Amino acid sequence: MEMTKIPARADVPDQDKWAINDLFATDDDWRTALAGAKEFVPRVAAYRGRLGESGETLLAFFRLDDEISLAFDALVHYAQRKSDEDTRVAAYQEMVSQVTRLAVELQSAAAFETPELLAIDEQTLDRFYAEQPALENYRLVLDRVRRRREHVLSDKEEALLAAAGEMAASPDDIYSMLNDADLKFPDAVDKDGNRHPVTHGTYIPLMQSYDRALRKSAFDSLYAVYGQFRNTAAATLSAQMKQLLFFANARKYPSTLAAALDGTEVDPQIYHSLIDAVHRSFGPMHRYVSLRRRLLGLDELHMYDLYVPVVEGVEMKFTFEEAKEIALKALAPLGEDYLAILREGFENGWIDVYENEGKRSGAYSAGARVHPYVLLNFKGTLDDVFTLVHEMGHSIHSYLSNKTQPTAYQDYVIFVAEVASTCNEALLMEYLLSVTEDKKQRAYLINHFLEQFRGTLYRQTMFAEFELRANEMTQRGEGTTAEALCALYKQLNEQYFGPDMVVDDEIALEWARIPHFYYDYYVYQYATGYAAAIALSRRILREGETAVKDYLGFLSGGCSADPITLLRGAGVDMASPAPIEDATKLFDELLGEMEALLA
């Protein structure tokens, strides 16, 4: 078998690249804009000591903040997207550093903002609103700042914390360079002795191969390399958790979890409630592992047997054109307005489609104001079709919030970030099941849906529990060495997968390859978002137009209310464990159908 050659960036056709020029025509135009943005520093500093002087001054300051937000949106997105096109190009890494440094400088210059806003008494603020009716647009911004009064420090202390921002980003930067640019994996070898390149982009497709020798070889290749760097990886993750603890302590939060969730107005109890609800639902997960072992005809199920479809003889491959057509049909229940935006994204350079040498691994959507940018590494698998609708869900959420909300409320918080993407995935699965009559193919699709549940509700909750417990170890002053992190991670795998899974020693290192552990309590939202999305997709299919109207209202909401309120408006209450419990019940039902189909 011939090895697949990964092209250089220059050899990728333009129609398969995102329209980066919609941000800036050239690197020089970006540099000119960056030079202009440096003027924001003295403009912001000029307001020091003045925010309480009049409603007019306060309104002017907020409008300047909007201007800065829009300017930085373009600067950051251009630098970051160019850097991700080829992570080996030092010039683009430097551009990211330059814009980061300027952002930190601006934060330092604006360090007076929060203390001064807190110093304005209620009577004066009411007078400002009366004198300047346009200030009402910023009432929620002010309310949010004033709600966090006890966590705000003095002017000088805030300036010091802002100045530490670039240093605090170092663990993530170091991890990204190690993981995306430096680590190289030996080729995997299949049962016939053919060699296959192992990269971040090829690893999961190799894990889905029916050739068990190839799967084990790819698994061993990947973790042997992470094993060589285990101490570096542990030191980097430890530094990340220490910087989170430093900021949480400085701001008088009881924990890093409380600090992280306060910014999104989410009660930490929701995080704990998710873990508790999933622990109560281990039964179906353990049953699934047992079924997978039996269906694969194995005496022992290993971690490298987790991704191979249990239904043999069904291989679903898609061109990118086919993937787009399927997406349009699957998302039709969301209405013509939604589909029009989807087509706009497909036809006008929102998507960077294929892997190239040095390109950032994985997939994401970046919601730039000009239009969203979607990074894919499309290989033509069923997973890749799901990834396409997932990232376009993010993109349309960003697009509608940017279009509907004023600048101050366009960015939705991360708690709701995974809802739109996962709702699209649920609708895609419902569509595929509705058009599939072949018994074997239906079983294959149900297996894929069960894998989504396993990978999102169970796996991401396991990640969330690992992140919580590792951060708690840091808070207690315990060493987060490679040995300690591996022991914790292995124990969680044993708990989540149950007695029918052989938890290979290598999987204890998996934490070292998960970039999301550098995102500050991000992963739990994949699980809560998945549960919310399952509930929303079922309501859309059941109730039609009314549910779609509520859902599009949610997508257009940005951060114009707290996330729990926004989701309630769409018909889901995430303050209750019900969405998690209902999702695990659906998992159990699908498991039953799978067993019946393959009996």
Side-chain angles (χ1 to χ4, degrees):
M1 184 178 162
E2 196 181 321
M3 280 174 63
T4 314
K5 190 172 183 324
I6 295 162
R9 181 72 186 176
D11 297 330
V12 177
D14 284 347
Q15 73 264 21
D16 297 327
K17 297 177 182 174
W18 49 32
I20 194 71
N21 296 352
D22 291 349
L23 287 162
F24 293 100
T26 65
D27 293 354
D28 284 340
D29 288 347
W30 181 90
R31 290 187 186 98
T32 303
L34 182 75
K38 289 176 181 172
E39 292 304 311
F40 285 129
V41 177
R43 285 177 65 191
V44 165
Y47 283 91
R48 179 185 292 276
R50 297 178 52 215
L51 296 188
E53 74 182 19
S54 70
E56 187 182 4
T57 302
L58 190 55
L59 179 60
F61 179 78
F62 280 133
R63 285 177 170 164
L64 172 61
D65 195 50
D66 288 348
E67 189 187 339
I68 292 168
S69 177
L70 293 171
F72 266 78
D73 185 78
L75 285 165
V76 169
H77 279 291
Y78 186 84
Q80 195 64 65
R81 304 297 74 79
K82 290 298 284 183
S83 174
D84 289 348
E85 288 174 3
D86 189 340
T87 58
R88 303 167 303 174
V89 179
Y92 293 123
Q93 291 172 27
E94 176 53 28
M95 283 165 71
V96 172
S97 296
Q98 285 177 307
V99 75
T100 304
R101 278 196 296 273
L102 181 56
V104 169
E105 205 180 326
L106 255 170
Q107 280 177 314
S108 298
F112 63 85
E113 178 184 356
T114 301
E116 287 192 27
L117 292 178
L118 291 176
I120 305 170
D121 63 65
E122 291 299 329
Q123 205 176 349
T124 305
L125 205 50
D126 288 341
R127 179 164 56 80
F128 286 177
Y129 286 129
E131 289 169 0
Q132 292 289 337
L135 251 186
E136 283 292 344
N137 293 333
Y138 300 97
R139 184 185 279 271
L140 184 56
V141 174
L142 279 157
D143 287 350
R144 281 175 172 152
V145 169
R146 292 163 79 85
R147 178 182 67 80
R148 297 167 73 185
R149 184 185 298 273
E150 65 189 285
H151 305 295
V152 176
L153 310 179
S154 72
D155 200 339
K156 283 181 180 170
E157 288 168 328
E158 286 294 337
L160 199 59
L161 289 189
E166 191 173 7
M167 184 171 60
S170 296
D172 185 24
D173 294 340
I174 293 164
Y175 174 80
S176 180
M177 284 298 110
L178 175 69
N179 201 47
D180 292 329
D182 291 345
L183 292 191
K184 297 287 177 280
F185 309 102
D187 292 343
V189 180
D190 64 25
K191 64 180 182 346
D192 301 318
N194 297 310
R195 304 178 79 79
H196 303 256
V198 178
T199 66
H200 293 297
T202 64
Y203 179 68
I204 294 300
L206 289 169
M207 287 291 100
Q208 292 167 332
S209 168
Y210 289 112
D211 180 346
R212 200 178 191 210
L214 177 59
R215 297 200 304 270
K216 185 175 188 314
S217 178
F219 181 81
D220 291 344
S221 160
L222 189 91
Y223 286 111
V225 173
Y226 279 105
Q228 290 168 26
F229 294 93
R230 60 195 289 151
N231 295 314
T232 303
T236 310
L237 184 56
S238 184
Q240 164 70 5
M241 294 186 292
K242 283 172 183 167
Q243 67 91 6
L244 292 180
L245 184 60
F246 168 78
F247 284 98
N249 286 342
R251 295 199 175 282
K252 306 181 184 73
Y253 284 102
S255 66
T256 53
L257 178 68
L261 270 55
D262 191 36
T264 54
E265 299 174 273
V266 173
D267 188 331
Q269 187 49 43
I270 288 175
Y271 196 103
H272 292 289
S273 174
L274 164 71
I275 293 170
D276 291 345
V278 169
H279 276 235
R280 290 195 302 272
S281 305
F282 278 157
M285 175 63 171
H286 294 175
R287 203 170 116 226
Y288 174 61
V289 169
S290 181
L291 176 65
R292 170 168 273 277
R293 182 186 61 75
R294 294 199 309 274
L295 290 174
L296 290 173
L298 298 171
D299 293 332
E300 290 186 337
L301 190 76
H302 285 260
M303 300 310 279
Y304 48 81
D305 299 318
L306 267 178
Y307 292 94
V308 60
V310 293
V311 185
E312 277 208 63
V314 180
E315 194 163 5
M316 302 178 81
K317 295 292 282 182
F318 307 88
T319 64
F320 190 58
E321 290 306 311
E322 288 168 340
K324 290 190 289 187
E325 279 306 307
I326 290 167
L328 287 162
K329 288 174 183 167
L331 302 177
L334 292 172
E336 195 44 52
D337 290 349
Y338 190 95
L339 293 184
I341 304 167
L342 190 62
R343 287 190 197 96
E344 160 82 14
F346 287 165
E347 292 160 15
N348 290 294
W350 289 18
I351 306 172
D352 205 85
V353 185
Y354 301 107
E355 186 178 10
N356 58 251
E357 288 179 353
K359 182 176 171 179
R360 181 183 158 141
S361 61
Y364 64 66
S365 167
R369 259 73 173 209
V370 62
H371 61 69
Y373 284 86
V374 173
L375 179 134
L376 300 178
N377 284 279
F378 189 85
K379 300 275 178 200
T381 64
L382 181 62
D383 267 343
D384 288 332
V385 183
F386 275 93
T387 300
L388 172 65
V389 300
H390 179 102
E391 300 306 343
M392 291 308 288
H394 284 308
S395 294
I396 294 174
H397 192 176
S398 297
Y399 178 90
L400 285 170
S401 286
N402 287 344
K403 191 178 168 194
T404 311
Q405 295 298 327
T407 305
Y409 305 116
Q410 285 173 354
D411 293 334
Y412 49 82
V413 299
I414 58 174
F415 185 81
V416 296
E418 296 302 331
V419 174
S421 52
T422 316
C423 183
N424 275 10
E425 288 197 58
L427 290 170
L428 172 59
M429 181 52 77
E430 295 282 0
Y431 166 75
L432 291 171
L433 286 172
S434 75
V435 297
T436 304
E437 289 174 11
D438 179 81
K439 199 172 166 183
K440 205 167 187 185
Q441 201 166 48
R442 188 173 176 82
Y444 179 90
L445 287 167
I446 290 174
N447 174 55
H448 193 279
F449 206 2
L450 292 171
E451 274 299 293
Q452 280 185 313
F453 265 90
R454 179 189 73 74
T456 310
L457 201 65
Y458 287 103
R459 177 177 163 84
Q460 299 296 339
T461 303
M462 185 182 79
F463 285 174
E465 189 170 355
F466 170 79
E467 186 173 6
L468 177 65
R469 288 173 63 180
N471 273 283
E472 287 172 345
M473 286 162 68
T474 304
Q475 188 161 5
R476 290 193 299 267
E478 296 169 18
T480 44
T481 60
E483 287 70 23
L485 293 172
C486 285
L488 169 60
Y489 198 82
K490 188 168 188 196
Q491 181 235 320
L492 286 170
N493 272 274
E494 288 164 349
Q495 198 178 3
Y496 276 72
F497 285 103
D500 260 22
M501 170 64 79
V502 176
V503 178
D504 301 280
D505 289 341
E506 290 87 347
I507 206 68
L509 274 162
E510 188 181 38
W511 56 266
R513 59 175 282 257
I514 309 299
H516 295 78
F517 292 144
Y518 293 84
Y519 295 4
D520 191 10
Y521 292 100
Y522 187 100
V523 289
Y524 86 102
Q525 291 148 137
Y526 284 112
T528 52
Y530 190 79
I534 292 293
L536 287 167
S537 64
R538 307 209 112 196
R539 183 176 177 232
I540 287 160
L541 293 170
R542 190 174 62 243
E543 297 177 27
E545 202 174 324
T546 313
V548 169
K549 185 167 176 273
D550 290 345
Y551 180 63
L552 293 180
F554 158 72
L555 293 185
S556 304
C559 62
S560 59
D562 71 84
I564 305 300
T565 301
L566 285 169
L567 278 168
R568 278 194 190 117
V572 182
D573 185 8
M574 290 310 295
S576 123
I580 311 290
E581 289 164 357
D582 290 348
T584 54
K585 275 182 209 147
L586 177 60
F587 181 81
D588 206 29
E589 286 165 27
L590 286 166
L591 195 51
E593 186 181 348
M594 178 86 165
E595 286 169 331
L597 277 168
L598 297 171

